Amino acid sequence: MTMAGLKFLAAIAALSVAPAAWAQKSSLRPIDPFKWITNNDYPMESLRRREQGMVYFRLDVDEKGKVSACTITQTSGFRRLDDTVCAALKARARFIPARNEEGQNIPSVWSSRFHWEIP
């Protein structure tokens, strides 16, 4: 076989595996996170009691980009504020899913924090 023939066969072989080679692993990406929790979500009782604090959380995100679980990793010190964060995130948080090496959507985890501050 000639050198040109070998190069052609190598190119054909590369094309046959190209879809897997072109697939790209990617990280989870939040969609509009600043809209997930707003001042309108501040619990009225917490406002009245002047409760404030930073809530740290972890979200389990499924392969469709929806939150499947919310865990408080560090409390604000006020259960009402912590519970409101998880309730809002479960209802509103959406993500562009993470992908594995084959380009398939996979479950993932995302951690962040929210600061409740009286407006």
Side-chain angles (χ1 to χ4, degrees):
M1 185 169 282
T2 67
M3 186 59 112
L6 287 175
K7 286 181 183 177
F8 176 74
L9 287 177
I12 295 298
L15 286 175
S16 67
V17 297
W22 290 340
Q24 186 173 356
K25 184 176 179 180
S26 65
S27 299
L28 190 65
R29 290 182 286 158
I31 300 171
D32 294 327
F34 296 106
K35 295 180 180 178
W36 295 348
I37 306 173
T38 69
N39 284 341
N40 293 334
D41 297 308
Y42 218 119
M44 292 305 289
E45 183 66 17
S46 293
L47 282 171
R48 206 165 38 111
R49 292 176 180 236
R50 313 236 1 114
E51 296 171 347
Q52 302 184 94
M54 186 77 71
V55 181
Y56 291 80
F57 58 87
R58 184 188 75 233
L59 301 177
D60 295 332
V61 181
D62 68 18
E63 64 280 351
K64 295 178 184 175
K66 292 184 71 176
V67 174
S68 58
C70 176
T71 304
I72 300 301
T73 57
Q74 185 176 333
T75 181
S76 65
F78 302 100
R79 184 174 182 139
R80 188 175 14 260
L81 296 179
D82 299 346
D83 290 347
T84 301
V85 164
C86 276
L89 292 171
K90 286 179 187 177
R92 299 183 193 140
R94 297 293 179 267
F95 294 83
I96 296 171
R99 293 184 181 188
N100 62 17
E101 291 82 6
E102 289 81 36
Q104 298 168 325
N105 292 353
I106 56 172
S108 192
V109 174
W110 194 72
S111 296
S112 191
R113 65 184 184 270
F114 182 79
H115 185 207
W116 288 108
E117 187 172 4
I118 295 178

